[in-house]
Amino acid sequence: NWLNLGDHIQLTSRRWLRLQEYLSKKLMSNNGVRVQKFFVADTVNEALEAAKRLNAKEIVLKAQILAGGRGKRVFNSGLKGGVHLTKDPKLAKQMIGYNLATKQTPKEGVKVNKVMVAEAFDISRETYLAILMDRSCNGPVLVGSPQGAVDVEEVAASNPELIFKEQIDIFEGIKDSQAQRMAENLGFVGPLKSQAADQLTKLYNLFLKIGATQVEVNPFVVCFDAKINFDDNAEFRQKDIFAMDDKSENEPIENEAAKYDLKYIGLDGNIACFVKGAGLAMATCDIIFLNGGKPANFLDLGGGVKEAQVYQAFTLLTANPKVEAILVNIFGSIVNCAIIANGITKACWELELKVPLVVRLEGTNIQEAQKILNNSGLPITSAIDLEDAAKKAVATVAKK
């Protein structure tokens, strides 16, 4: 439960695949979904050239960052908003190369390296549509509203009758009757109703094809704002899409951790956590906090642990100058604790560990693992369970 950590969590990027908006639009366009014509510019000159090629009365300039809420915040150049309807493409001078801060970025914001230059359309009515995986329905669900342009959460709170849902049988796929009904609920009539239903079906087919967990379009029928979330477990069969992953906005340590299949999130405490299993990692952070300490990170080793991975994890943890103690918490069912123990001892000796180390190991080959640690000659503090480990780790920091 991350709520227990309160303000101690830092804003960092999640490791799940996220695509920049222009890439999501390209995927949609390549699969028959209508999107506005656009170009992507890395420089001001490219933005000016893109505007000429569009030959439109007005254009839309959109900062390409992964965070939401772009339109409502400020660049460090002084320009307000990351989305602009304008006739002057030179506005890109105040966007490219500057940081844009939103409610989803660190306080200093994120540097904008690209802008989307798109043709502007007059929209008489904005509608919202999303296709997402819903655990309560055990499959995909269409969610739509005839009231777009605002956060759908606000619509759900103030006008819940304007939120429409269609549960889809993942084996049967979307039925024409469902697509037609949603199109009608979104306010489309006559020929537009059939066109909307066709576009909706194409979106659903894209959703399945690319292994997405969410596809969001606002406004629906001509896509101005696109968002696609992906299932990381589908990476092995979606290699072309995952190759588009933009890691430039991630913390460098997070990218380094991903190279070794480690899931890492930086926090602002001083007790480093080395854990196997995401749920146990969160519980470890919580129990450190409840015992008066502050976790320095979330780190999940995953299942197939090797000694080299353990070594790299320690390398990452000890690189943080704020770390004053390390807590190892392994409850290994499929993980061989002896592998963890060998990795720990190798890392401690080679990295010349200078901070206290508290270790709680339980599971497969535990006797061998304890023997390795006991014979290592290292000043390791053993713990019998998670509560004991957290108290001992907090105590070692409190002594300093």
Side-chain angles (χ1 to χ4, degrees):
N1 182 349
W2 288 104
L3 295 177
N4 287 342
L5 297 178
D7 294 333
H8 300 291
I9 290 182
Q10 291 179 337
L11 288 169
T12 58
S13 300
R14 294 160 68 186
R15 187 169 171 265
W16 302 330
L17 172 65
R18 298 168 297 167
L19 295 185
Q20 296 286 4
E21 183 190 2
Y22 74 93
L23 291 171
S24 294
K25 283 190 172 183
K26 283 183 178 179
L27 279 176
M28 290 181 177
S29 179
N30 291 341
N31 286 273
V33 179
R34 293 178 61 195
V35 302
Q36 65 191 136
K37 190 176 181 181
F38 70 90
F39 298 100
V40 180
D42 297 323
T43 66
V44 176
N45 286 338
E46 288 182 7
L48 295 175
E49 182 60 29
K52 287 181 183 178
R53 292 171 67 186
L54 288 172
N55 193 28
K57 291 182 180 180
E58 283 190 304
I59 59 171
V60 181
L61 292 176
K62 302 183 80 172
Q64 295 299 285
I65 62 171
L66 295 171
R70 293 171 295 176
K72 302 176 182 179
R73 298 303 168 122
V74 182
F75 283 91
N76 60 355
S77 65
L79 181 66
K80 294 183 179 180
V83 180
H84 289 272
L85 177 65
T86 180
K87 294 181 180 179
D88 184 10
K90 292 180 182 178
L91 201 61
K93 288 182 179 180
Q94 299 178 65
M95 302 173 74
I96 297 174
Y98 290 96
N99 281 23
L100 175 62
T102 79
K103 59 185 178 182
Q104 295 181 13
T105 68
K107 290 182 180 179
E108 67 273 15
V110 172
K111 185 178 179 181
V112 174
N113 295 311
K114 299 178 185 290
V115 295
M116 180 192 295
V117 186
E119 62 180 337
F121 286 146
D122 289 328
I123 304 173
S124 58
R125 189 171 60 84
E126 296 196 35
T127 57
Y128 170 89
L129 181 79
I131 306 171
L132 51 92
M133 285 293 186
D134 188 331
R135 285 181 181 272
S136 64
C137 298
N138 295 317
V141 175
L142 301 180
V143 179
S145 175
Q147 187 173 324
V150 295
D151 292 337
V152 71
E153 292 86 357
E154 293 180 14
V155 179
S158 58
N159 300 99
E161 72 281 0
L162 294 179
I163 300 293
F164 298 94
K165 296 182 181 181
E166 288 283 345
Q167 183 177 340
I168 302 173
D169 186 313
I170 198 166
F171 296 106
E172 294 182 5
I174 187 170
K175 298 175 182 177
D176 183 63
S177 60
Q178 291 180 304
Q180 294 284 344
R181 186 163 53 243
M182 178 59 78
E184 185 175 329
N185 286 334
L186 295 180
F188 296 103
V189 295
L192 284 178
K193 178 180 173 181
S194 296
Q195 291 178 30
D198 176 67
Q199 287 289 292
L200 199 154
T201 301
K202 288 177 178 176
L203 274 172
Y204 179 74
N205 291 337
L206 171 65
F207 175 84
L208 286 186
K209 177 181 176 182
I210 63 178
T213 55
Q214 179 177 336
V215 173
E216 185 179 79
V217 177
N218 190 9
F220 175 57
V221 175
V222 177
C223 174
F224 277 14
D225 195 3
K227 176 182 177 181
I228 303 178
N229 293 342
F230 295 85
D231 179 2
D232 275 4
N233 293 317
E235 181 175 1
F236 72 96
R237 52 187 166 84
Q238 302 290 350
K239 294 190 181 297
D240 289 345
I241 290 175
F242 277 75
M244 300 178 188
D245 191 8
D246 183 354
K247 297 183 174 70
S248 63
E249 295 180 26
N250 292 355
E251 294 290 334
I253 191 171
E254 198 172 322
N255 289 334
E256 187 66 20
K259 292 179 183 178
Y260 305 99
D261 200 26
L262 300 169
K263 297 178 177 66
Y264 181 97
I265 300 175
L267 306 175
D268 65 353
N270 55 3
I271 299 177
C273 302
F274 177 97
V275 189
K276 199 283 284 186
L280 189 59
M282 288 190 284
T284 302
C285 288
D286 275 349
I287 204 162
I288 289 173
F289 184 73
L290 290 172
N291 279 281
K294 295 181 180 180
N297 64 276
F298 165 100
L299 187 143
D300 172 20
L301 284 171
V305 180
K306 296 180 173 60
E307 282 187 32
Q309 190 184 28
V310 175
Y311 180 87
Q312 293 300 332
F314 262 79
T315 301
L316 292 173
L317 297 179
T318 55
N320 183 353
K322 293 182 181 179
V323 169
E324 297 180 11
I326 297 175
L327 191 162
V328 175
N329 183 24
I330 304 294
F331 187 83
S333 52
I334 62 173
V335 173
N336 188 331
C337 289
I339 292 177
I340 299 289
N342 280 323
I344 289 173
T345 54
K346 178 182 178 182
C348 289
W349 284 115
E350 293 189 13
L351 297 174
E352 299 181 352
L353 188 67
K354 300 283 196 303
V355 298
L357 176 62
V358 178
V359 177
R360 180 258 182 149
L361 290 178
E362 190 65 55
T364 304
N365 214 4
I366 180 61
Q367 290 80 11
E368 179 65 21
Q370 289 174 336
K371 189 181 297 183
I372 292 169
L373 294 178
N374 292 337
N375 295 334
S376 68
L378 293 165
I380 297 173
T381 302
S382 296
I384 57 174
D385 55 31
L386 177 52
E387 181 78 21
D388 183 43
K391 287 181 177 179
K392 287 178 176 177
V394 172
T396 62
V397 172
K399 291 177 183 178
K400 295 189 175 184

